[in-house]
Amino acid sequence: MPFKIKSILPGAWELTKNEQYELFSLQVPTVWQQVAQTLAQKRVNLQGRGYPAVPVYSLDPIIAASFPRIIQTVRNGWQRPGVPWILATERADLFNLPDLIKDWLREEFSYCLGDDEVESILDQLDDNAWEWKDKSTVYPLQLPPNNPYGIDIRWQAIPDYMAGEFLKNPQVTFGSDNQYQLTFYQVVNLKQGAELISWPPYEVPLIKNKKQVGKVNISFVIHFNLQTVPWRSQPMIYHQLSIRRWLTETIERLPYRGVTSFVGDNRRWLDGKKQPFRLIHIPIKQITTQEGRKARWPFAISELLKINDSPLPEPDSLASEPVYNWSVFGAAPTGIQAAIAYDSRHSGEFPCFPGVSPLDLASLDSAIQNKIEQGNFPVRRIGEAMRKSGESLPFWEPGKSQKKGSLEPKNPDDLSTPMLRPKIAAPATFRHPESSPNTILILWETQKCRDALIAEICKLLSISPQGETITYETLTGLTREETLYQNQDVCLRIITQHVSDITARLDVDNPEVEGNNRQQKRTNLIDKRIHQITSYLPSPKGLSGALVEIKPKKYFFPPESDPKLAVRIGVMQAGYVNQHIHALKTSETNGKEYIPKKSQNRVQRAVSDLLRQFGILPTPLIDFEKDGIDPNMWLTCFYVLRRTRKTTANNQASTVALMVRVNPIKGTVQVTTPTFFATQGWVSYSAGLGYLLSEKWEPNSYADETTGDTSDAQQSSDTQNEQKFLNKFVTDCLRDCLSTSIEEEKPPHVLFMAEAINARTMLTWLQNPQLPANNLPDQLKRHMTESEINRLSVVRLRVPGNGEVPVAIAKGSPGSRTNGLFCWQDVCDDEATALYLSMRKLLNTEQGTNTLQQKQSRLDNGSLQAGNPKPLEIAVIHHPGIERDKLACFVHNLRDRWPYFANEVSLPLPFPFATSAKQYAVSAKDRVESVDLEEEDEEEDSSESVD
């Protein structure tokens, strides 16, 4: 049983002595800086948008691939004279560097400024101006930076040091009998951390029902990252283990936005010198030419390799033969080797599941420990985490299990997901007349889907049709049907109408559509489609929602022709929160057609997710006997919905701050944003989703997106003003909660939660150096009374994204899985503070024989789920009147309090309301997303909550 495991070992380490790095520096000549800045400014002037800063983010991977011994590049090296640009452990010959950088500038600017304009400016440059600084500089790894420019190399150098020590003996064994020995090589990467990869790829069998049905090629990937935690002065080294899946079959069509390739070589491309074999990830981008879309390598790298007589294979050739010169096991890799990594941009599913097994994690952890002990590394593990929660009782009554193999349909009230049970969903839906849905509109393409949705609504909400169905023809000539459904207490109107052409592809290739490219045409077509949708749908009466039958993204090529964004916006603007569903697949047995279980699950999830968008919750949501917490507590969270410059066609970032609050006794959900808090306060969840479509910062508010043509001082001032603006918004929201009764007149308590990675740039006190201990941050406290302070608890969470939370290995039981709340010992500098790691339970699909077992490695079978939950970090900041461990346990339990899911979720209630709102934080100008949100939801729902 998992509860026998009393402690877990976090994958966290620290240096025990102050190692030093000797680095050589290279500065950008002043004239080269000025030329690059001139080109960037000319592009902004021509396009009327963007930032005039030199785009060195695109230069980093090019220079890293060309000269892999770089520890860090300093962005200001292209902005300010005298600031080093490159810090490297050795000096390379710079003969080819000027041409490399010129080629980069040509690729960046020629397409918009023209070849002649760019070449005339590049002619001003002196190729002989580049030279290394004569003397190296010594940088200590354990001390903060002490140099004129404040350059802190620790975040890259310490992981590089760990990787270098690891590679002195690069073999690692995996498997229960250590039967797999993999050799690791460095992946060149100027992003934070160090990356190692096993090479050549390992051939993994795909085994189903004890029979091998195929094989795939994968590599294990080790990441070393330097991270900080709350209330600890020194950073720590985290290790992570994952897999990279390789394509081996011919790619018929490259994804629209290209692919990520990995190229290995034992020569240094900048000057051709020999080096240990390394791999570099290089994008293959799709560009528009007169002949259509064409794949190509970054121009600068391609030209450099031609100079060195080491040409890369043509992208189309690599796509047709993705296995390019791979070495064999046991032989040292030589020459250029290339491979294409699989990701979600590729069409079709990859037959190998992602993720590694708990045994693989334990194998790597043990290998690191052994290398430390045998090699006398100056590194040691930091603490272990001790269990704080015992076996928790299920919050909702568990449904009765069904005998395996039973052909009887399962009683709906025994389903694992609470909001799929009629006895829970029906009373929750109609508990509050003012927030109960009045109308559900079904826009259908196939009658099977329409009928299945109606049947599920009736079953879930315990309603049946009353009276005759009203049928009439709309002004557009379509048939619309209205039926009243009710039980003894409530009624609901269901309207059905054929979806017609509102989900048809957008004709972005039509030359008559306005726009210079597909993206501009798409924006215009979306605006037109939205207008069509709003005029096509009936006027809503009361709280209304729509279920829309749409086609999967594979039906739309090019991707810009996908109309789903227009459907989302248009149906919402017409007054309906909306959930999308794909057509149902049917099966046939003995000549009888039926809807299989997987399709029926999608129907269930579509209906229940529409209820979620209505903001419907069962009650109560806090049980004093189980939680030890008084239910008189608002559950609140702060969440930031970002639309970055890269995800909007107008190249302008858009940021919306969202506050969500849940009344755990009444089961009501409300949201607010800075724009309408001042005028409307809190609004219902469904109304809030509608507001998100048009939510923007006020033009003159401090929350405006700062443009790049202002000075650094002005940008810093604007950022500080924005942070003050949002801190005041959060404070006002919390004070309003503290003064608003939950049920009776007694003052309520408030639990406020924020996720660090999401919110720390807005609420800077969430950052580790500023995080207060056992106290409120001054930004909140100075605006509150003593009574309010004593009724407000604050908890910071951190998800494992970006490797910011350590992996966890069950101590004394390699390959075992566990769940519960653990307190990490000996990590904080002061015993008065504590850090917790929350391990969720396994999902339904992560249990049994479809999951890698305790003694199995990912290398044993690619067809099984990894079943390797990642910890959630919990930091209790302020907890007046509540024991710290008890509050942390309560937050951990809130992961199992999301009634729309059968299992525990990543972030506790009410975060799922906030994260799901991203579907409405969109505009017609957004770029087409590479991942279909509806398909993503369906995959998650069908795999994680199927009974």
Side-chain angles (χ1 to χ4, degrees):
M1 291 292 292
F3 291 107
K4 292 181 180 179
I5 296 171
K6 296 182 179 179
S7 65
I8 55 178
L9 299 174
W13 316 82
E14 66 178 348
L15 290 176
T16 57
K17 71 176 184 179
N18 189 22
E19 296 290 326
Q20 295 183 331
Y21 255 37
E22 181 182 4
L23 299 179
F24 297 92
S25 62
L26 180 68
Q27 293 181 6
V28 181
T30 302
V31 176
W32 286 71
Q33 282 184 342
Q34 294 170 347
V35 163
Q37 291 168 7
T38 297
L39 290 169
Q41 185 63 61
K42 282 179 175 289
R43 180 165 64 180
V44 171
N45 294 342
L46 179 67
Q47 296 180 339
R49 58 183 172 85
Y51 295 93
V54 180
V56 289
Y57 60 85
S58 64
L59 178 57
D60 274 356
I62 293 172
I63 194 66
S66 307
F67 177 34
R69 290 310 302 150
I70 297 173
I71 293 299
Q72 186 170 330
T73 58
V74 183
R75 296 288 171 88
N76 284 340
W78 279 87
Q79 310 294 340
R80 300 172 183 170
V83 178
W85 168 43
I86 289 178
L87 299 174
T89 56
E90 56 188 75
R91 290 182 285 198
D93 191 306
L94 301 179
F95 180 78
N96 291 321
L97 181 64
D99 286 331
L100 176 75
I101 294 177
K102 287 179 181 178
D103 285 336
W104 162 66
L105 292 170
R106 290 185 180 103
E107 187 171 27
E108 276 288 333
F109 299 106
S110 290
Y111 79 95
C112 61
L113 301 181
D115 293 337
D116 293 341
E117 174 79 6
V118 172
E119 291 301 327
S120 66
I121 296 177
L122 294 184
D123 287 341
Q124 305 172 24
L125 299 174
D126 177 11
D127 291 358
N128 298 318
W130 290 90
E131 56 182 19
W132 292 98
K133 191 175 181 181
D134 292 337
K135 294 183 179 180
S136 62
T137 302
V138 175
Y139 291 84
L141 296 188
Q142 278 192 319
L143 300 176
N146 184 20
N147 56 74
Y149 312 108
I151 298 173
D152 192 348
I153 69 161
R154 294 177 298 168
W155 307 99
Q156 193 67 23
I158 292 179
D160 181 79
Y161 171 80
M162 188 78 169
E165 293 296 306
F166 191 91
L167 289 176
K168 289 179 179 177
N169 181 15
Q171 285 78 33
V172 179
T173 57
F174 294 88
S176 58
D177 298 321
N178 295 327
Q179 68 268 41
Y180 304 114
Q181 185 178 77
L182 303 182
T183 303
F184 286 83
Y185 298 89
Q186 190 146 16
V187 178
V188 178
N189 185 3
L190 288 182
K191 294 180 180 179
Q192 195 176 108
E195 181 178 318
L196 308 178
I197 192 169
S198 65
W199 194 263
Y202 194 88
E203 197 172 86
V204 174
L206 302 172
I207 302 173
K208 294 183 178 180
N209 299 322
K210 299 183 180 180
K211 292 183 180 180
Q212 183 169 337
V213 295
K215 56 187 179 182
V216 293
N217 290 84
I218 70 170
S219 292
F220 274 175
V221 181
I222 301 172
H223 291 269
F224 292 112
N225 286 284
L226 198 66
Q227 300 291 350
T228 62
V229 297
W231 311 308
R232 178 184 175 86
S233 57
Q234 289 296 321
M236 300 178 291
I237 308 163
Y238 286 176
H239 74 262
Q240 309 277 337
L241 182 67
S242 59
I243 66 169
R244 188 159 285 134
R245 299 170 288 175
W246 304 107
L247 298 177
T248 56
E249 303 295 329
T250 298
I251 304 173
E252 297 295 336
R253 186 174 66 195
L254 287 174
Y256 186 74
R257 291 197 179 181
V259 299
T260 300
S261 68
F262 283 73
V263 180
D265 199 357
N266 54 358
R267 291 207 320 165
R268 202 162 66 189
W269 294 348
L270 190 62
D271 55 14
K273 290 185 178 179
K274 288 286 185 181
Q275 66 173 8
F277 184 81
R278 288 179 170 85
L279 289 120
I280 304 106
H281 53 85
I282 306 177
I284 300 177
K285 296 182 178 180
Q286 296 262 41
I287 61 169
T288 301
T289 67
Q290 292 181 344
E291 294 79 25
R293 302 287 294 176
K294 182 176 177 58
R296 78 170 194 183
W297 299 103
F299 181 70
I301 290 179
S302 181
E303 292 299 304
L304 178 65
L305 286 174
K306 288 178 183 177
I307 294 173
N308 280 327
D309 197 27
S310 300
L312 292 168
E314 286 298 320
D316 291 337
S317 299
L318 183 60
S320 62
E321 296 183 19
V323 180
Y324 185 82
N325 292 341
W326 290 3
S327 53
V328 298
F329 276 91
T334 58
I336 286 187
Q337 303 182 33
I340 295 178
Y342 169 82
D343 63 30
S344 60
R345 289 175 294 184
H346 294 90
S347 59
E349 296 181 2
F350 199 85
C352 176
F353 277 102
V356 298
S357 73
L359 180 64
D360 294 328
L361 273 182
S363 297
L364 175 60
D365 190 80
S366 177
I368 294 174
Q369 188 66 49
N370 291 337
K371 290 176 187 296
I372 289 172
E373 294 171 355
Q374 295 170 9
N376 198 26
F377 287 9
V379 175
R380 68 183 173 205
R381 182 188 296 280
I382 299 176
E384 62 183 78
M386 308 301 295
R387 176 176 293 282
K388 285 294 179 181
S389 66
E391 185 169 358
S392 59
L393 298 173
F395 188 77
W396 284 283
E397 179 185 349
K400 296 178 182 178
S401 59
Q402 196 171 26
K403 289 184 179 180
K404 189 173 183 180
S406 174
L407 298 179
E408 293 292 323
K410 192 166 187 178
N411 184 337
D413 283 327
D414 288 330
L415 294 176
S416 297
T417 305
M419 283 301 288
L420 295 184
R421 305 177 195 173
K423 68 178 181 182
I424 291 179
T429 301
F430 301 112
R431 177 175 293 109
H432 305 292
E434 70 278 3
S435 60
S436 296
N438 176 279
T439 302
I440 293 180
L441 171 66
I442 298 177
L443 299 174
W444 57 276
E445 185 167 5
T446 60
Q447 292 186 1
K448 288 187 180 66
C449 190
R450 177 199 65 185
D451 295 344
L453 288 169
I454 293 175
E456 177 61 24
I457 293 170
C458 291
K459 179 179 69 175
L460 185 61
L461 301 183
S462 301
I463 55 178
S464 56
Q466 299 294 319
E468 296 294 325
T469 296
I470 302 174
T471 304
Y472 57 94
E473 192 173 279
T474 68
L475 294 176
T476 54
L478 291 172
T479 300
R480 183 179 294 161
E481 296 183 344
E482 294 188 21
T483 307
L484 193 64
Y485 292 78
Q486 65 183 50
N487 57 27
Q488 63 272 22
D489 300 315
V490 299
C491 63
L492 175 71
R493 183 174 61 157
I494 296 181
I495 303 176
T496 63
Q497 180 176 318
H498 192 273
V499 76
S500 187
D501 59 350
I502 68 172
T503 58
R505 70 185 300 276
L506 304 174
D507 191 6
V508 292
D509 290 320
N510 187 342
E512 296 182 2
V513 177
E514 292 184 6
N516 297 326
N517 52 49
R518 283 177 178 162
Q519 184 63 39
Q520 292 177 3
K521 291 182 177 182
R522 173 177 180 265
T523 300
N524 293 329
L525 288 169
I526 286 178
D527 285 332
K528 184 177 179 181
R529 182 68 57 85
I530 290 171
H531 178 74
Q532 175 191 351
I533 292 171
T534 54
S535 61
Y536 174 77
L537 301 184
S539 298
K541 296 179 181 179
L543 182 59
S544 302
L547 294 161
V548 188
E549 187 176 353
I550 60 172
K551 292 182 176 64
K553 66 177 181 180
K554 65 182 179 182
Y555 285 90
F556 301 102
F557 187 83
E560 289 88 352
S561 66
D562 193 334
K564 293 184 185 66
L565 182 62
V567 174
R568 172 73 70 194
I569 297 173
V571 178
M572 184 72 250
Q573 285 190 358
Y576 300 86
V577 292
N578 54 98
Q579 177 64 22
H580 305 167
I581 184 172
H582 296 153
L584 303 181
K585 296 177 181 178
T586 57
S587 299
E588 188 173 309
T589 300
N590 299 327
K592 185 177 180 180
E593 192 177 55
Y594 68 96
I595 298 176
K597 189 174 183 179
K598 189 171 183 179
S599 291
Q600 188 58 46
N601 278 327
R602 291 199 290 109
V603 173
Q604 291 176 327
R605 298 306 309 183
V607 173
S608 68
D609 199 66
L610 188 64
L611 298 185
R612 187 270 303 168
Q613 295 183 49
F614 287 141
I616 294 169
L617 279 175
T619 57
L621 291 164
I622 301 177
D623 187 319
F624 183 79
E625 292 185 2
K626 295 178 180 178
D627 298 316
I629 298 290
D630 186 350
N632 186 41
M633 173 186 284
W634 284 106
L635 303 177
T636 70
C637 72
F638 173 84
Y639 201 74
V640 176
L641 301 173
R642 291 185 179 87
R643 308 297 298 174
T644 65
R645 291 176 57 226
K646 291 183 179 180
T647 57
T648 54
N650 64 354
N651 204 35
Q652 294 294 320
S654 176
T655 305
V656 175
L658 190 70
M659 282 283 287
V660 180
R661 74 176 182 182
V662 166
N663 183 323
I665 295 177
K666 293 184 178 180
T668 55
V669 187
Q670 295 174 302
V671 297
T672 191
T673 70
T675 298
F676 53 80
F677 180 75
T679 57
Q680 301 184 62
W682 297 87
V683 297
S684 68
Y685 182 68
S686 57
L689 295 180
Y691 287 135
L692 286 178
L693 288 177
S694 57
E695 166 75 13
K696 301 292 179 188
W697 299 119
E698 292 297 326
N700 297 318
S701 80
Y702 288 133
D704 272 348
E705 177 66 24
T706 303
T707 56
D709 55 0
T710 55
S711 67
D712 290 346
Q714 181 62 45
Q715 289 189 32
S716 176
S717 174
D718 288 344
T719 300
Q720 291 176 8
N721 287 331
E722 180 180 8
Q723 291 162 354
K724 291 178 182 177
F725 175 82
L726 288 170
N727 273 288
K728 186 176 186 305
F729 164 64
V730 170
T731 304
D732 291 344
C733 290
L734 294 177
R735 295 195 69 188
D736 185 79
C737 292
L738 289 163
S739 62
T740 304
S741 300
I742 286 181
E743 187 176 40
E744 301 174 351
E745 291 302 317
K746 67 176 183 177
H749 200 97
V750 173
L751 171 61
F752 173 64
M753 294 177 285
E755 198 281 311
I757 298 175
N758 171 266
R760 64 193 173 201
T761 58
M762 300 292 180
L763 307 181
T764 55
W765 51 266
L766 289 170
Q767 298 171 11
N768 289 328
Q770 287 85 37
L771 197 71
N774 301 315
N775 201 352
L776 286 181
D778 184 62
Q779 292 92 328
L780 302 183
K781 185 169 62 175
R782 63 186 172 204
H783 299 292
M784 292 186 172
T785 66
E786 192 67 26
S787 171
E788 291 170 333
I789 292 172
N790 291 333
R791 290 183 285 116
L792 175 62
S793 295
V794 179
V795 174
R796 193 198 80 167
L797 308 169
R798 185 157 55 163
V799 296
N802 304 326
E804 293 195 25
V805 179
V807 298
I809 297 98
K811 184 179 180 181
S813 184
S816 291
R817 299 173 173 89
T818 188
N819 61 77
L821 182 75
F822 296 81
C823 184
W824 192 354
Q825 309 293 314
D826 303 321
V827 63
C828 300
D829 295 335
D830 188 345
E831 292 183 357
T833 56
L835 198 63
Y836 300 88
L837 298 177
S838 166
M839 302 291 296
R840 68 162 172 79
K841 297 175 184 176
L842 293 181
L843 306 178
N844 290 348
T845 53
E846 294 173 336
Q847 302 173 25
T849 56
N850 61 352
T851 301
L852 291 169
Q853 302 302 297
Q854 181 177 352
K855 293 186 177 181
Q856 285 185 303
S857 165
R858 166 55 72 206
L859 301 174
D860 291 331
N861 190 353
S863 295
L864 299 180
Q865 292 271 6
N868 198 8
K870 298 178 180 179
L872 173 70
E873 181 187 283
I874 299 176
V876 178
I877 300 172
H878 189 238
H879 53 104
I882 304 176
E883 185 182 358
R884 184 178 60 200
D885 286 355
K886 181 182 292 185
L887 183 58
C889 284
F890 176 60
V891 172
H892 166 77
N893 291 340
L894 286 176
R895 299 182 73 180
D896 197 21
R897 213 62 52 93
W898 177 238
Y900 289 92
F901 199 58
N903 308 120
E904 295 182 3
V905 290
S906 297
L907 286 167
L909 184 75
F911 273 104
F913 281 115
T915 57
S916 297
K918 67 182 180 182
Q919 294 176 338
Y920 290 91
V922 294
S923 74
K925 295 181 179 180
D926 286 351
R927 290 190 184 276
V928 62
E929 298 289 351
S930 61
V931 177
D932 186 325
L933 291 178
E934 277 67 46
E935 288 182 352
E936 191 178 52
D937 289 343
E938 285 180 5
E939 288 173 4
E940 178 181 273
D941 294 338
S942 63
S943 66
E944 297 185 353
S945 55
V946 171
D947 291 276

